[in-house]
Amino acid sequence: MSLQGKVAVVTGAGAGLGAAYALALARAGAAVVVNDAVEAAAAATVARIEESGGRAVAVVAPVGSTETAQALVDTAVERFGGFDVLVTNAGILRDRSLLKMTDDDFDQVLAVHVRGTFTCVRAAYASFKDRGVAGRIVTVGSPTGQRGNFGQTNYAAAKAAIVGMVRTWALEMARAQVTVNTVVPVAATAMTRTVPYFAAAVEALDAGEPIPDFYRQDLGFGTPEDVAGLVVFLASDEAAGISGQVLGAGGDRVQVWSHPEPVVTASHAGGWDADTLAAEFAPTLRENLQPVGERFPDLPAELVRTPARPGA
């Protein structure tokens, strides 16, 4: 898979998944504009790319504003002579249960994830159309946006919104042959380090050992690098015609997520009033209630880790 001659922009590329995407794109031959809100983090990713013989430049700014989005596009064109690939990875968390979540908690997460994705994609698409480039856009979703998760009202709303925008953009961009998709990553990050369920996987990573097969195969959970291959593929010419899709990646597993479709349909002459619904449709509804939240299988006994007690 070669991206030789391509120029990519990756937001939130200072660490974790974003850094893995930037490094993988560079290894495939792309020049990379590395965006992050933290200067030292962006510089570190640029240095890693350059040490491996790649080309990269940092743009330090939080995403969300039109000005930042345009600066990313302009930097790609001015420094590397073109622009072909956008990966909108930047994101933040402000986890709180509903009654504890403030307006700022909600607004900040949507500003980065939703507005940041919107402004960057808008600027990228304008550039692609103006220059006649069949560009590639890769947005980043989450299982939380697909299924919900306790304490993440803002994050769930943001990630679900990204998928909704992608379905719309795929329709709008088809004539220009620009593709836009969402990747749903499942990988070891700073967030998963604190979750007891993943303790054995984190323990293996810290020891430089392979993640146990249960995580990689049964759960589809691995390293950021396990997700990066899908991003490189979607950024390539090989992915022409693949657009508007939600694709999961993690560990040894890749997935195609379905788009919402009715699971059961019923009709009643004259329409449904509340009493008729209760009498005739409620039993069918109860038999077809859809699950919410992520449901993990039980850990094998050998992977169970008991958290240390405070002060122990």
Side-chain angles (χ1 to χ4, degrees):
M1 186 70 63
S2 174
L3 299 180
Q4 200 66 41
K6 305 288 188 182
V7 179
V9 170
V10 184
T11 69
L17 285 159
Y21 302 155
L23 287 159
L25 290 164
R27 283 194 298 271
V32 184
V33 177
V34 174
N35 162 256
D36 204 273
V38 179
E39 184 175 2
T45 299
V46 169
R48 292 174 66 188
I49 290 173
E50 292 179 337
E51 287 166 3
S52 300
R55 297 184 298 157
V57 63
V59 173
V60 180
V63 298
S65 71
T66 295
E67 292 74 19
T68 293
Q70 193 59 51
L72 294 172
V73 173
D74 291 345
T75 299
V77 174
E78 292 167 6
R79 290 296 296 270
F80 300 120
F83 175 43
D84 307 274
V85 178
L86 171 67
V87 181
T88 58
N89 172 76
I92 62 172
L93 292 174
R94 296 290 186 272
D95 291 356
R96 303 279 192 281
S97 59
L98 177 59
L99 297 182
K100 295 179 180 178
M101 185 171 289
T102 67
D103 291 356
D104 283 345
D105 292 333
F106 187 85
D107 291 344
Q108 288 175 24
V109 169
L110 266 70
V112 175
H113 289 274
V114 180
R115 187 179 177 85
T117 298
F118 162 70
T119 55
C120 288
V121 170
R122 183 177 60 184
Y125 184 46
S127 175
F128 296 156
K129 283 198 73 177
D130 287 347
R131 294 180 300 110
V133 173
R136 300 286 184 262
I137 299 170
V138 181
T139 69
V140 178
S142 167
T144 294
Q146 302 293 98
R147 289 177 169 166
N149 191 33
F150 187 95
Q152 291 193 313
T153 294
N154 44 12
Y155 187 67
K159 290 305 190 182
I162 288 170
V163 172
M165 292 192 296
V166 162
R167 293 179 183 134
T168 300
W169 293 334
L171 299 172
E172 295 181 358
M173 298 179 185
R175 187 172 181 180
Q177 297 183 354
V178 174
T179 66
V180 54
N181 295 285
T182 296
V183 168
V184 175
V186 181
T189 63
M191 183 172 65
T192 56
R193 296 189 71 87
T194 64
V195 180
Y197 188 87
F198 298 108
V202 172
E203 179 184 289
L205 282 172
D206 289 347
E209 299 172 353
I211 293 177
D213 286 347
F214 169 82
Y215 290 102
R216 294 191 59 84
Q217 296 174 8
D218 295 19
L219 203 63
F221 175 88
T223 67
E225 289 71 24
D226 291 319
V227 184
L230 178 57
V231 173
V232 172
F233 168 71
L234 291 174
S236 74
D237 293 341
E238 298 294 327
I242 300 172
S243 195
Q245 303 305 299
V246 181
L247 305 171
D252 295 339
R253 193 169 70 184
V254 291
Q255 298 172 309
V256 178
W257 283 85
S258 66
H259 292 182
E261 295 286 350
V263 295
V264 63
T265 300
S267 298
H268 188 273
W272 295 86
D273 59 26
D275 289 335
T276 307
L277 282 166
E280 298 185 20
F281 185 66
T284 301
L285 170 61
R286 293 186 185 281
E287 291 174 0
N288 290 276
L289 293 177
Q290 301 299 291
V292 295
E294 196 78 6
R295 299 185 178 184
F296 295 126
D298 291 339
L299 282 170
E302 68 273 14
L303 298 180
V304 174
R305 302 290 185 270
T306 303
R309 291 175 297 171

